[in-house]
Amino acid sequence: MRRLGLALLVGLGLTAAAPAASQAREPWAVVTIGTGPLRGIYYPVARAICRVVNRELRAERIRCSPETTFGSVYNVEMLQAGELDFALVQADVQHQAMAGRGRWAGQPAAGLRAVFGVFEEGFVVVAGPGADIARIEDLRGRRVATGVPGSGTRATWDALASQLGWQGADRVRAPGSANIAEGLCAGSIDAAVAVAFHPTPAVRDQLGACATRLVPVTGPVLDRLLAEHPYFRRMTIGAGAYGTASSVETFGVASDFIAGPRADPRIVAAIARIAAIHAEELSAQLPALAQFGARGLPGPGLTAPLHPAAAAVYRELGARR
């Protein structure tokens, strides 16, 4: 995001109104939000947030732009590089980045701050019709689509794989098809995993293409995962999500709206205020945001520390109620 000048200060009532000529010369400030692939849920969520931000801050010449990305890991890297102002990021990826683990081993990501929680996502395994896969342990040595590098799905799979402890030929193999639904039906992919808000179009397509099925994630491996990583929690995907015969037990993780270390605190405060005031409007726009207004902001289970500018807004709004 570029220089803001006096625009946001005027919008937040922190300074006197600037003369009309000065406002006319003020350049637009573009605020970027890292999301994920177009067919995922992060992009429409960010687009809904930007729609409200652009309407409410138009007079201050601030424009919010959702940016398609590879997902959570990539988003953190771009936040650190200053290429993104904000992003939607899974809680497990946030934790790894701040703790200096995984991709960030020895180089923890500094300055990540939560603005508000968004929703919970669930980990799912979709097994192909010809694959004899009934539990997570049956993926040993199979061809499994585990998410693209830089995605939250891949990061969550890596955490689960570390608990499985497979080595050598026991490790899952890369699939031979780029189209997951087609590969599952043709037998070139044994299974695919995803971390998403459910139902999600990609999983719906995979389940609707042929006789694929959801595989539960339960047992000792899940117990070990939850014991080591407290940001994961048990989760049930109801039968109504995909029209399955029964619900599926698995685990999930929260996703949060995160500010990068270079995000302007005044913009952080403005977006936090807009999200809080217009939470019910946002809740009505997408199923993923159905609980956004009901639960109140900033939301439960934040992994990154709450941004001070956002915290000040929530304290102020709470005192008014």
Side-chain angles (χ1 to χ4, degrees), residues 120-126 192-200 203-204 207 213-218 222 233-253:
E120 279 200 309
E121 300 184 87
F123 180 90
V124 294
V125 179
V126 181
V193 305
V195 177
F197 176 86
H198 299 288
T200 188
V203 173
R204 185 184 288 117
L207 292 173
R213 62 197 182 283
L214 292 177
V215 178
V217 182
T218 58
L222 179 58
R233 54 195 69 119
R234 297 182 193 276
M235 184 177 185
T236 300
I237 298 176
Y242 297 105
T244 54
S246 60
S247 60
V248 177
E249 299 301 317
T250 185
F251 68 97
V253 64

Side-chain angles (χ1 to χ4, degrees), residues 140-318:
R140 184 192 303 266
R142 300 296 191 104
R143 296 162 298 178
V144 183
T146 57
V148 299
S151 68
T153 292
R154 175 66 67 84
T156 303
W157 165 258
D158 288 344
L160 181 60
S162 69
Q163 300 300 324
L164 293 165
W166 295 332
Q167 300 295 326
D170 287 341
R171 291 178 179 269
V172 300
R173 293 173 285 151
S177 174
N179 187 303
I180 295 176
E182 289 182 2
L184 287 168
C185 294
S188 60
I189 299 177
D190 296 313
V193 305
V195 177
F197 176 86
H198 299 288
T200 188
V203 173
R204 185 184 288 117
D205 290 350
Q206 294 165 22
L207 292 173
C210 54
T212 52
R213 62 197 182 283
L214 292 177
V215 178
V217 182
T218 58
V221 65
L222 179 58
D223 295 339
R224 294 195 300 270
L225 182 73
L226 298 180
E228 185 171 332
H229 303 288
Y231 39 78
F232 292 132
R233 54 195 69 119
R234 297 182 193 276
M235 184 177 185
T236 300
I237 298 176
Y242 297 105
T244 54
S246 60
S247 60
V248 177
E249 299 301 317
T250 185
F251 68 97
V253 64
S255 287
D256 303 326
F257 189 88
I258 299 296
R262 303 184 190 183
D264 190 298
R266 297 169 297 177
I267 288 287
V268 174
I271 291 180
R273 185 181 302 276
I274 287 170
I277 292 175
H278 297 279
E280 291 187 4
E281 177 184 345
L282 289 167
S283 297
Q285 292 189 31
L286 288 169
L289 297 176
Q291 298 300 314
F292 194 71
R295 71 174 185 224
L297 297 183
L302 298 180
T303 301
L306 187 62
H307 196 290
V313 167
Y314 301 140
R315 285 196 300 270
E316 175 195 336
L317 293 176

